[in-house]
């Protein structure tokens, strides 16, 4: 029986930072918000706030309102960012080394004082606790690119990232079945609506996207946020990598086979039982590359991965002379009986049931991600992503 999954999705997203709500339509971006006051603590309106993503030169902006409040939504995650506050007749304030997380607004307040515009710029380095923010909507776990690279996983499956959350038990959150989780990638839903697995390609034991294409993952179990719903386990919101002004590339190859498995099982340290060794082989190979097409303006990111696996369909075998039937992996039926049954079906019904032991099941998957980011101007950004997945298993 073949189970196959074919997914080819092209998503065009225009991220228009023309209103305070543009960055909050999905958990795909970050934000910086706060209040600007004078030296007496009174709110300042009309102050221009400019944030620059240093690796790509992408610029974002906002202006404080009558309460001195500002919000810069739709930010690329990561950093570092440099944020500058400027207004006529006031000294410019600048904050550097700011890193933005997925779905967690970075709280940055500023105090400005009067000054001569001829004075040199004052640069203030801010160190703030990212966890403490009055705009958080419940407990969440943010998994950065560095953590993703360090998490041990044999299958390189994005769902395995859930183990970094203390509320999880493997792929289960809050005691719920993993099919009751919700996975989104750049705002696109990657759930298996048929219900046989938690994600596309889950029926074949594969990941719907390469880990090399993931920038950050946020895990929410019980968010106080009307934008998130449709799950009783956890919401895993992932975003893909994007290119910047520096060319970066990597490639990998992983291999597992029966040569790395044990030959005996220890039983209470008294004796050892030989295991029925079956041949299996699994390998993964992939690459990623990203960088600028036009510096500070147009960027690209490409990723591809292939996995092939061959594993025994069963570890049980028929009893033969010298075996003890019904113990370990030796079944009660003898090879002589099963051979006779097979020959009976062939002779009388012209039906060959095939072999009953010693055969393998084949699995493969191909995954690819292509993404382009375009900085139209300081207020308008465009993103184009193509996602491909094909997976099958005997």
């Amino acid at each position: 029986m073949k189970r196959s999954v074919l997914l080819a999705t092209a998503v065009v997203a225009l991220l228009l930072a023309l209103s305070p709500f543009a960055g909050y339509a999905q958990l795909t971006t970050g934000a910086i918000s706060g209040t600007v006051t004078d030296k007496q603590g009174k709110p300042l309106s009309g102050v221009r706030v400019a944030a620059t993503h240093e690796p790509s030169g992408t610029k974002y902006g906002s202006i404080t309102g009558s309460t001195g409040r500002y919000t810069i939504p739709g930010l690329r995650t990561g950093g570092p960012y440099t944020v500058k506050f400027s207004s006529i007749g006031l000294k410019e304030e600048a904050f550097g080394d700011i890193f933005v997380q997925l779905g967690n607004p970075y709280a940055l307040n500023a105090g400005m004082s009067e000054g001569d515009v001829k004075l040199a710029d004052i640069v203030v380095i801010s160190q703030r606790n990212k966890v403490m923010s009055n705009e958080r909507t419940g407990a969440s776990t943010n998994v950065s690119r560095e953590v993703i690279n360090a998490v041990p996983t044999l299958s390189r499956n994005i769902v395995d990232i859930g183990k970094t959350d203390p509320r999880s038990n493997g792929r289960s959150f809050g005691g719920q079945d993993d099919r009751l989780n919700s996975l989104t990638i750049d705002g696109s839903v990657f759930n298996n609506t048929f219900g046989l697995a938690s994600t596309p390609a889950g029926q074949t034991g594969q990941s719907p996207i390469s880990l090399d294409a993931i920038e950050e993952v946020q895990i929410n179990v019980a968010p106080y946020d009307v934008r998130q719903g449709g799950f009783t386990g956890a919401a895993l919101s992932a975003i893909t990598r994007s290119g910047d002004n520096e060319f970066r590339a990597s490639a990998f190859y992983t291999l597992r086979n029966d040569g790395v498995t044990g030959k005996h099982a220890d039983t209470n340290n008294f004796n050892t039982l030989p295991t029925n060794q079956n041949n299996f082989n699994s390998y993964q190979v992939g690459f990623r590359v990203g960088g600028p097409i036009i510096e500070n303006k147009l960027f690209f990111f490409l990723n591809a991965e292939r996995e092939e696996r061959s594993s025994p369909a069963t570890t049980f075998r028929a009893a033969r002379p010298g075996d003890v039937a019904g113990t370990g992996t030796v079944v009660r039926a003898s090879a002589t009986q099963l051979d006779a049954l097979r020959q009976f079906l062939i002779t009388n019904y012209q039906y060959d049931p095939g072999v009953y032991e010693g055969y393998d099941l084949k699995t493969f998957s191909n995954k690819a991600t292509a993404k382009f980011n375009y900085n139209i101007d300081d207020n308008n950004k465009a993103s184009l992503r193509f996602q491909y997945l094909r997976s099958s298993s005997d």
Side-chain angles (χ1 to χ4, degrees), residues 171-192:
R171 300 182 179 185
S172 170
F173 293 83
Q176 300 293 326
D177 189 282
D178 64 351
R179 291 173 296 178
L180 301 179
N181 297 332
S182 177
L183 172 65
T184 61
I185 299 177
D186 288 340
S188 302
V189 177
F190 271 64
N191 298 333
N192 189 334

Side-chain angles (χ1 to χ4, degrees), residues 44-60:
L44 292 174
S45 62
V47 176
R48 175 170 174 75
V49 187
T52 302
H53 182 254
E54 297 297 340
S56 66
T58 306
K59 297 180 179 180
Y60 307 85

